[in-house]
Amino acid sequence: MNGSVGPMRVLVTGGSGLVGRAIERVVKEESGGREGETWIFLSSKETNLVSTEETRAAFERHRPTHVIHLAAMVGGLYRNMRQNLDFWRNNVHINDNVLHTSQEFGVVKVVSCLSTCVFPDKTTYPIDETVMHNGAPHESNYGYAYAKRMIDVHNRALFQQYGLKYTAVIPTNMFGPHDNYNIEDGHVMPGLIHKTYLAKKEGKPLQVWGSGRALRQFIYSLDLARLFLWVLREYDEVEPIILSVGEEDELTVKDAVDAVAEAFGFEGEVIYDTSKSDGQIKKTANNAKLRKYLPDFKFTPFKQGDQHKRFSIYVFPILVKRRILIDVFLFFQPSRRLVIGLQPIMTPSVNEDLFI
């Protein structure tokens, strides 16, 4: 797919976030990179991609042949509900700057990251890649969702007008090292992890926002990183592709709460605050298209086991200093905990803009 461009120079926007760090780990530690390739992991501290001028300067500096576009203004359900306009405007600017500048600089391929929030709120299930534009997204995060949808519109127009095969992936809920553990602004798993840690430390009930009935499919960030590399090298369609575990692996938020509480050994009261929104109750995704290409890909299971024993993989944070968490990966059995790895991360302050 590289044509005559020679060894790839891959620019990863959002390179310091959850998925960016996972891709970096796969490239450097799992031989995901190939001889002669250059990988550049760009963070918002280096370049503000909302700015056209800074975006162009980054492309001038790095001269990529390929781009993995992860950068976005991101946040959890409640921040989206408060700031739909900000999520729309900032993400539209970021995405247009990256895609247009990639076109101007002759980038061979761009793989952008969408989200299952792009799908219609009122639809039939399971959802697949063909229904993205068939109705309005959920009202809670429509600014972010529409901005992400526009990446697909931009990609199709680039192909129609210039023959460029830029594409996008649609992952389900991600978890893994280097996530954002901000309780107010983070996503489901890291928010639950931080809340459970504090509840156990302080001897207080665990407060969960919403009813716990919402259904989600969770994908481990390193699995997603491996699939990103496959899409970059092998996937030759403009149409997006869902990257997800199967429908049979869907969990309720309550399932996730129970798993995190068990991993922490938290035995206190769990209170579900039903005055808070659940967001979109269900957005079950069909991964048949992915399985057509990669029928044997093995996902890291959130839970696996048999009637005799149960193993679960968790991201288990330990507060070391005021703003530092360490991710501890556990294969958890009821009888024991086996620590298999440590990853230090920084958590953003409550007031920090969550651009990755």
Side-chain angles (χ1 to χ4, degrees), residues 179-250:
D179 211 336
N180 165 31
Y181 290 86
N182 185 303
I183 290 174
E184 293 291 328
D185 296 329
H187 288 103
V188 177
M189 282 300 295
L192 288 176
I193 288 166
H194 198 171
K195 281 186 173 185
T196 307
Y197 166 78
L198 292 175
K200 181 171 183 180
K201 178 186 175 186
E202 297 168 3
K204 295 180 179 179
L206 172 58
Q207 297 272 352
V208 179
W209 293 342
S211 67
R213 295 185 300 112
L215 290 160
R216 297 293 183 262
Q217 289 156 289
F218 292 96
I219 181 171
Y220 185 43
S221 60
L222 290 176
D223 291 342
L224 182 57
R226 296 169 190 126
L227 289 171
F228 256 104
L229 266 63
W230 169 77
V231 171
L232 184 71
R233 300 186 193 282
E234 306 295 340
Y235 182 69
D236 199 32
E237 296 185 35
V238 173
E239 289 74 17
I241 184 168
I242 290 171
L243 303 182
S244 174
V245 298
E247 300 162 48
E248 68 278 6
D249 294 315
E250 191 172 49

Side-chain angles (χ1 to χ4, degrees), residues 14-136:
S16 62
L18 169 67
V19 184
R21 294 293 291 271
I23 292 173
E24 184 174 18
R25 179 170 166 182
V26 169
V27 167
K28 294 181 178 179
E29 298 180 22
E30 296 185 8
S31 302
R34 294 178 181 174
E35 186 176 356
E37 291 179 350
T38 302
W39 288 77
I40 305 109
F41 294 87
L42 191 71
S43 75
S44 59
K45 291 180 180 178
E46 300 168 71
T47 302
N48 175 14
L49 295 172
V50 176
S51 163
T52 302
E53 293 74 19
E54 290 196 34
T55 304
R56 286 188 61 83
F59 276 70
E60 286 276 10
R61 185 164 63 250
H62 297 296
R63 292 284 171 174
T65 62
H66 295 69
V67 172
I68 293 178
H69 176 37
L70 309 174
M73 179 183 178
V74 295
L77 170 63
Y78 298 98
R79 189 173 186 223
N80 271 272
M81 291 171 67
R82 294 192 306 268
Q83 295 177 250
N84 265 299
L85 178 61
D86 296 336
F87 279 92
W88 161 257
R89 295 191 70 240
N90 284 310
N91 284 304
V92 163
H93 286 310
I94 290 170
N95 298 334
D96 185 66
N97 284 338
V98 170
L99 291 173
H100 183 64
T101 308
S102 293
Q103 174 204 340
E104 285 190 320
F105 278 74
V107 170
V108 174
K109 185 171 184 179
V110 179
V111 180
S112 298
C113 189
L114 308 188
S115 161
T116 50
C117 72
V118 301
F119 290 112
D121 180 35
K122 295 178 174 58
T123 188
T124 56
Y125 294 97
I127 49 184
D128 64 26
E129 295 85 353
T130 66
V131 304
M132 184 191 306
H133 301 285
N134 287 2

Side-chain angles (χ1 to χ4, degrees), residues 1-16:
M1 294 192 69
N2 300 345
S4 59
V5 298
M8 293 196 300
R9 288 182 58 81
V10 186
L11 178 67
V12 181
T13 71
S16 62

